[in-house]
């Protein structure tokens, strides 16, 4: 038998070379404890979240901590047992933190989207989790031809590792937004798994505006012909915060399409953001159309933005594929233009940052949520720019 791989914890003869080769298991014991040298952990402050990766987690359902803003036709919510057949329908953990959460949760929060005529966004808020290390699991199922916007809001104190599964049925068009506005001491490790059906579209949006360590990793599988995803992200890292997202888009079926765009701003000593974008176009995925990009705006000294796009192509019969990444300071020409029209330098800087991030907020499609997030970004700017 070969030695354990230093990258995924599975028994293998050689280290994992590509994102698609990572080992997957729901059993935490199948993964080694990460050392920080692994490709998927090397940019994460492991010592700050080791309890979520290796420790015992409280997996009791968070019924009293979860609230629905208001009922919306076409959406329903229930708690289901971990033996329910929906568990594991979208994917399995590929790292120890995800597997630890999977091994410890007692019940999952199940959200069903069935309406074909949207009547409003369905907002599920979670707060008051405290400082106990917890595990959670959510399963989102969009019925064939359904439509809807689901918003998952997180705030307050927390130490939580969780998995979110998303299954999008044939012909469905849904948006799933996850918003992290945790307190500065919070730690949140989340893995999202999605399966997108034939001629279906998943718009997946990650917004991280608060927390000590926040790591949200979407893994979206375009597993049926004509499947489509638009994956957007917005993050604003303040002093001492670590905001991370590792995005994986797996083109499995022919004529699938993906667009990935993440934007972030960083300010303050020790602010750190991580974006890793992996796109795989399999040999079976003829006719693929894919593009990913990450843009970072640095607002002060002492920050660090890691941006790593990766593209793996196994077939030459595609419509297009590409990636882009940039990290920089303010555009002097934009500032000069605004100042030449009588706008102060301070206000000009605010306008540039606001415009830079507004592109992502506007993708949500829920005016009330967009307005609130715009206000949250504005509050960040009053302190920094």
């Amino acid at each position: 038998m070969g030695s354990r791989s230093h990258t995924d914890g599975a028994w293998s003869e050689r280290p994992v070379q590509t994102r698609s080769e990572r080992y997957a298991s729901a059993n935490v014991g199948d993964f080694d404890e990460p050392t920080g040298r692994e490709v998927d952990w090397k940019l994460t402050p492991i010592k700050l979240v080791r309890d979520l990766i290796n420790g015992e987690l409280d997996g009791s359902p968070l019924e009293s901590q979860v609230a629905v803003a208001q009922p919306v036709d076409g959406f329903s919510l229930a708690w289901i047992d971990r033996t329910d057949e929906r568990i594991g329908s979208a994917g399995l953990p590929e790292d120890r933190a995800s597997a630890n959460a999977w091994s410890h949760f007692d019940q999952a929060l199940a959200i069903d989207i069935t309406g074909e005529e949207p009547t409003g966004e369905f907002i599920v808020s979670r707060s008051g989790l405290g400082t106990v290390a917890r595990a959670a699991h959510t399963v989102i199922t969009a019925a064939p031809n359904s439509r809807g916007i689901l918003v998952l809001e997180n705030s307050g104190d927390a130490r939580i590792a969780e998995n979110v599964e998303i299954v999008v049925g044939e012909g469905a068009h849904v948006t799933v937004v996850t918003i992290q506005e945790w307190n500065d001491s919070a730690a949140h490790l989340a893995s999202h798994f999605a399966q997108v059906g034939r001629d279906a579209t998943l718009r997946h949006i990650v917004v991280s505006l608060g927390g000590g360590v926040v790591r949200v990793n979407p893994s979206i599988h375009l597993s049926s012909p004509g499947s489509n995803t638009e994956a957007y992200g917005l993050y604003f890292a303040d002093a001492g915060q670590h905001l991370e997202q590792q995005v994986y888009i797996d083109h499995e079926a022919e004529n699938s399409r993906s667009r990935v765009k993440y934007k972030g701003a960083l300010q303050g000593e020790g602010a750190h953001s991580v974006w890793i974008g992996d796109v795989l176009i399999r040999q079976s995925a003829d006719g693929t159309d894919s593009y990913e990009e990450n843009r970072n705006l640095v607002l002060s000294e002492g920050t660090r933005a890691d941006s790593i796009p990766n593209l793996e192509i196994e077939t030459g019969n595609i419509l297009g594929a590409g990636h882009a990444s940039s990290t920089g300071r303010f555009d002097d020409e934009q500032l000069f233009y605004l100042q030449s029209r009588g706008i102060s330098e301070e206000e000009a800087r605010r306008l540039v940052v606001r415009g830079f991030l507004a592109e992502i907020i506007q993708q949500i499609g829920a005016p009330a949520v967009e307005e609130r997030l715009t206000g949250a970004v504005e509050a960040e700017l009053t302190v920094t720019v």
Side-chain angles (χ1 to χ4, degrees), residues 18-204:
T18 63
R19 179 65 173 78
S20 60
E21 293 180 328
R22 288 190 186 174
Y23 178 73
S25 172
N27 182 6
V28 65
D30 290 339
F31 295 87
D32 287 329
E33 296 185 12
T35 64
R37 296 188 296 271
E38 299 82 0
V39 66
D40 54 335
W41 288 108
K42 65 181 181 180
L43 296 173
T44 308
I46 291 178
K47 64 180 180 180
L48 300 181
V49 289
R50 195 172 295 280
D51 57 333
L52 299 178
I53 300 171
N54 300 322
E56 290 291 322
L57 303 177
D58 180 354
S60 57
L62 303 171
E63 295 186 57
S64 62
Q65 291 82 18
V66 172
V68 175
Q70 62 181 13
V72 176
D73 291 341
F75 289 85
S76 61
L77 181 151
W79 291 91
I80 61 174
D81 191 76
R82 61 180 296 120
T83 59
D84 191 284
E85 62 181 7
R86 286 169 284 183
I87 304 296
S89 55
L92 290 173
E94 296 179 358
D95 65 49
R96 186 177 174 91
S98 177
N100 199 30
W102 201 298
S103 296
H104 282 96
F105 83 93
D106 293 334
Q107 289 185 306
L109 178 64
I111 302 172
D112 291 331
I113 306 172
T114 56
E116 297 187 10
E117 295 293 335
T119 60
E121 61 272 13
F122 190 62
I123 301 176
V124 180
S125 300
R126 185 172 58 180
S127 63
L129 274 60
T131 58
V132 174
R134 293 181 176 273
H137 200 104
T138 301
V139 180
I140 301 163
T141 307
N145 301 311
S146 60
R147 302 287 189 274
I149 299 173
L150 170 63
V151 182
L152 306 175
E153 297 183 334
N154 296 297
S155 62
D157 292 323
R159 297 197 65 81
I160 186 167
E162 68 171 338
N163 294 287
V164 177
E165 299 190 65
I166 307 168
V167 177
V168 183
E170 180 176 344
H173 290 257
V174 297
T175 298
V176 176
V177 186
T178 176
I179 301 172
Q180 286 61 241
E181 292 183 284
W182 300 112
N183 291 344
D184 288 344
S185 60
H188 181 201
L189 304 182
S191 293
H192 289 214
F193 310 95
Q195 293 285 344
V196 185
R198 178 184 288 270
D199 298 325
T201 295
L202 169 64
R203 177 172 288 190
H204 186 275

Side-chain angles (χ1 to χ4, degrees), residues 10-22:
W11 290 97
S12 64
E13 294 292 340
R14 62 179 177 81
V16 168
Q17 302 296 315
T18 63
R19 179 65 173 78
S20 60
E21 293 180 328
R22 288 190 186 174

Side-chain angles (χ1 to χ4, degrees), residues 89-91 166-170 193-202 219-229 248-258 280 282 284-285 288:
S89 55
I166 307 168
V167 177
V168 183
E170 180 176 344
F193 310 95
Q195 293 285 344
V196 185
R198 178 184 288 270
D199 298 325
T201 295
L202 169 64
S219 178
I220 301 174
H221 299 263
L222 302 174
S223 49
S224 298
S227 51
N228 173 60
T229 188
Y248 177 39
I249 307 296
D250 186 357
H251 288 267
E252 301 179 37
E254 65 272 16
N255 301 319
S256 55
R257 176 185 178 274
S258 68
L280 168 64
R282 296 181 184 267
S284 57
T288 286

